[in-house]
């Protein structure tokens, strides 16, 4: 089950792409929180990470963290921060 943990707008605020040195505009920022059973958390996190990777240049992983409890105990917490091209967002969320 997913729920939005908040939504902020930053329309037309210039940001600098550190790799290309090109200005870009961030159209929207969304924060989502997923509540997942510990035994499923790692696979859900991996699926989201792989969905981003499959989009190649249309999705960028900014930060990815997974904290495990121990062998066969599931994950304690996970964080995945992504940047997805606007024209690919609906497809990404649908996946």
């Amino acid at each position: 089950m997913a729920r939005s943990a908040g939504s902020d707008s930053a329309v037309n605020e210039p940001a600098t792409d550190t790799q290309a040195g090109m200005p870009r505009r961030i159209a929207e920022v969304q924060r989502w929180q997923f509540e997942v059973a510990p035994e499923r958390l790692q696979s859900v996190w991996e699926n989201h990470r792989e969905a981003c990777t499959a989009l190649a240049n249309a999705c960028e992983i900014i930060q990815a963290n997974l904290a495990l409890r121990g062998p066969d105990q599931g994950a304690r917490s996970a964080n995945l921060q992504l940047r997805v091209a606007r024209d690919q967002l609906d497809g990404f969320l649908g996946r």
Side-chain angles (χ1 to χ4, degrees):
M1 177 66 59
R3 60 188 162 106
S4 174
S7 181
D8 303 316
S9 293
V11 178
N12 293 328
E13 298 245 348
T16 302
D17 185 331
T18 56
Q19 292 178 353
M22 302 290 294
R24 69 174 148 195
R25 309 250 186 247
I26 298 174
E28 184 175 350
V29 175
Q30 293 186 12
R31 290 175 178 82
W32 292 82
Q33 177 177 329
F34 295 85
E35 296 179 6
V36 179
E39 62 274 5
R40 292 190 52 237
L41 183 56
Q42 183 172 356
S43 66
V44 169
W45 179 82
E46 288 173 352
N47 288 339
H48 283 89
R49 189 175 48 120
E50 290 168 6
C52 180
T53 303
L55 290 176
N57 293 330
C59 186
E60 175 185 5
I61 297 174
I62 306 299
Q63 183 177 14
N65 300 303
L66 179 66
L68 301 175
R69 293 175 191 262
D72 301 322
Q73 294 181 352
R76 180 177 50 227
S77 64
N79 177 48
L80 189 58
Q81 185 177 357
L82 311 169
R83 182 177 292 133
V84 181
R86 184 175 245 339
D87 63 343
Q88 298 292 317
L89 183 59
D90 288 339
F92 177 80
L93 292 175
R95 186 168 179 201

